[in-house]
Amino acid sequence: MSKRRKKPEPSRRKLRRTRKTDEHAPTRDKRWNERYRGGDLEHPAASFERIVSRHDRRRSDIQLARQVLREQQMGGAGGAPEGAVEGVIVDVISGGCIVEADGMRRRAVLRGLLKSLETQERNVIAVGDRVLFTRLDDGTGVVERVLPRTTVLSRRYMEREHVVAANIDQLVIVASVDEPPVRSGLIDRYLVAAENGGLQPVILLNKIDLPGADEARSKLRQYPGLGYPVQECSAESGEGLDAVRDLLRNRSSIFAGQSGVGKSTILNALQPGLELRVGEVSESTGKGIHTTTSVSLLSLDFGGWVVDTPGIREFALWDFPAEDLPFFFPEFEQYLGRCKYRGCTHTHEPGCAVREAYESGEIDSDRYESYCRLFESLK
Ligand code: GDP
Ligand code: ZN
């Protein structure tokens, strides 16, 4: 292979250089992710009303409408009618959503532009979105604006993006000592998804009452040093649950992890009667009163919110370029830029500084293998 072909295109090089200046900031720094994600959100200022009326004339102009929505999301409250109040979407249902404000829930439809966008695009609203809505006398409402999102948890679902939830503070990645045992590859994928969406990831090891707890702990040993806190509990014996309550208090959280690790048992132990919708919900048909997936936001008596995702089994990464992956492994940071080849994928290349660090034991082998598997899956 000639040397020429190894050279990345100038635009890619520029991109890498820009990214490299960020390498000193830890990848778990929320601002890093925000800046990174912010790239596609920059739009020329444009008047909301002007574009809306243009859009009404040419309803097919989805590009323009998308731009308006982004500007809305960037620009905050301007443009909403007088008397509109702020609320949180706790459920997305066929034809609209359930909005909660001042402890009251009401069914709401979307105002024209948002509605036509939602029909074509989906993801215009998601559970957790903060919105401005108008209250109608019949007890329902109309969503006027979707306010800027602080975090977004997305996944690939049927070859498109599914925004699972917006504005959620933390992703609680649940693993268990046994039945099923810890799968670090899955934890690593969730860590990337959390970082990419701006959520703070936390790992929670459940079922510490079972034999083999020490072995499970050792599989998780590297995470705290990387900036990913690890907590442990037993929903069965109650050990560690007070600390889990503190973890969730006054924040919004979403639980993720393999089926059977004890996600519903933990939440039910913390708040009996939380009305978690347990049982099978078909991913492919999305059966039930809900639309494609049944996600909802539940409030916790001790303060805070938790997203219930009974129908969601998979968190495949959506729209995530494989070449960005190294920046989501904090332990790679000090080696990036020291590989022999520019554009090194750190999977097989000779003279790769990351691979050398793995071979000498400086980078944990489970983590490195996770990286290679993830990279392969994203290519
Ligand atoms: P989910 O699929 O993650 O929501 O898991 P579930 O909450 O349905 O729990 C799966 C199984 O694990 C159930 O049989 C629970 O009784 C059991 N389980 C949950 N937490 C614990 C725990 O701390 N210790 C033990 N030994 N079993 C648990
Ligand atoms: Zn390399």
Side-chain angles (χ1 to χ4, degrees):
M1 215 183 286
S2 80
K3 226 178 171 183
R4 265 185 94 82
R5 287 184 53 200
K6 297 239 170 188
K7 257 190 183 173
E9 296 157 16
S11 58
R12 169 75 50 78
R13 251 158 81 192
K14 189 163 167 245
L15 191 70
R16 284 184 54 82
R17 204 175 305 134
T18 320
R19 294 262 167 77
K20 261 172 68 179
T21 59
D22 282 339
E23 277 169 27
H24 303 292
T27 42
R28 54 209 172 276
D29 177 353
K30 264 192 184 176
R31 281 165 307 163
W32 188 88
N33 283 310
E34 271 162 28
R35 257 181 287 141
Y36 165 68
R37 292 192 63 84
D40 63 343
L41 286 171
E42 280 159 25
H43 297 278
S47 151
F48 174 59
E49 277 74 19
R50 177 167 51 81
I51 295 185
V52 169
S53 63
R54 243 165 84 195
H55 176 79
D56 283 344
R57 287 200 299 276
R58 285 190 301 136
R59 295 193 77 82
S60 62
D61 196 345
I62 197 73
Q63 284 303 113
L64 199 58
R66 197 182 293 168
Q67 187 177 338
V68 173
L69 181 79
R70 287 197 180 136
E71 277 159 13
Q72 275 199 7
Q73 291 182 337
M74 295 290 287
E82 223 172 284
V85 293
E86 194 178 322
V88 175
I89 295 184
V90 293
D91 230 320
V92 175
I93 56 173
S94 176
C97 57
I98 307 287
V99 178
E100 183 172 319
D102 298 326
M104 256 192 63
R105 294 182 169 209
R106 60 175 76 213
R107 194 177 273 269
V109 294
L110 306 182
R111 183 67 77 198
L113 172 71
L114 290 174
K115 189 175 174 181
S116 57
L117 262 178
E118 175 69 13
T119 310
Q120 296 181 58
E121 290 264 295
R122 312 275 169 87
N123 299 324
V124 167
I125 52 164
V127 161
D129 262 324
R130 291 161 49 241
V131 297
L132 293 177
F133 73 103
T134 311
R135 288 178 284 209
L136 303 181
D137 292 339
D138 65 1
T140 66
V142 181
V143 173
E144 311 283 354
R145 300 287 303 269
V146 182
L147 296 175
R149 288 173 176 162
T150 56
T151 73
V152 181
L153 187 65
S154 279
R155 60 168 195 152
R156 176 184 292 275
Y157 176 63
M158 294 172 84
E159 291 317 304
R160 47 199 295 184
E161 181 182 20
H162 170 215
V163 174
V164 179
N167 304 323
I168 303 302
D169 300 319
Q170 61 187 357
L171 180 68
V172 182
I173 304 165
V174 186
S176 59
V177 166
D178 204 357
E179 301 164 10
V182 173
R183 254 182 69 196
S184 39
L186 194 65
I187 294 176
D188 295 328
R189 179 142 57 88
Y190 284 132
L191 288 172
V192 173
E195 297 251 23
N196 189 40
L199 290 84
Q200 169 69 49
V202 182
I203 298 164
L204 180 58
L205 178 65
N206 185 35
K207 307 197 190 182
I208 53 167
D209 57 287
L210 293 180
D214 281 337
E215 195 190 329
R217 284 183 188 110
S218 85
K219 283 192 203 164
L220 302 175
R221 72 193 173 280
Q222 70 275 26
Y223 293 109
L226 300 173
Y228 305 123
V230 177
Q231 275 189 221
E232 49 182 61
C233 70
S234 163
E236 184 103 342
S237 75
E239 197 181 343
L241 285 183
D242 283 342
V244 177
R245 200 175 281 113
D246 290 341
L247 176 72
L248 304 183
R249 185 174 284 122
N250 299 335
R251 252 174 272 176
S252 54
S253 311
I254 182 164
F255 277 53
Q258 275 175 279
S259 174
V261 292
K263 298 181 291 294
S264 342
T265 312
I266 294 167
L267 288 166
N268 284 327
L270 291 176
Q271 183 168 327
L274 190 59
E275 288 178 30
L276 284 179
R277 286 163 297 152
V278 285
E280 292 296 306
V281 176
S282 162
E283 269 267 46
S284 53
T285 64
K287 270 189 189 143
I289 56 164
H290 299 275
T291 48
T292 46
T293 50
S294 46
V295 178
S296 66
L297 195 58
L298 306 171
S299 60
L300 298 164
D301 293 343
F302 50 86
W305 299 83
V306 64
V307 182
D308 186 21
T309 56
I312 294 183
R313 306 247 175 284
E314 280 289 319
F315 273 92
L317 294 167
W318 168 254
D319 194 22
F320 190 96
E323 64 264 30
D324 285 356
L325 195 59
F327 302 99
F328 288 77
F329 280 70
E331 65 270 58
F332 287 14
E333 272 176 37
Q334 58 174 305
Y335 306 103
L336 299 180
R338 285 166 48 184
C339 301
K340 185 166 177 198
Y341 296 107
R342 236 181 240 279
C344 181
T345 67
H346 321 300
T347 55
H348 64 278
E349 292 87 343
C352 168
V354 173
R355 231 190 125 75
E356 279 161 14
Y358 150 70
E359 277 159 5
S360 68
E362 286 160 66
I363 288 178
D364 181 86
S365 59
D366 285 342
R367 286 278 291 171
Y368 180 73
E369 283 155 22
S370 269
Y371 168 82
C372 292
R373 270 199 306 274
L374 264 171
F375 188 89
E376 199 57 39
S377 75
L378 293 170
K379 261 198 323 199

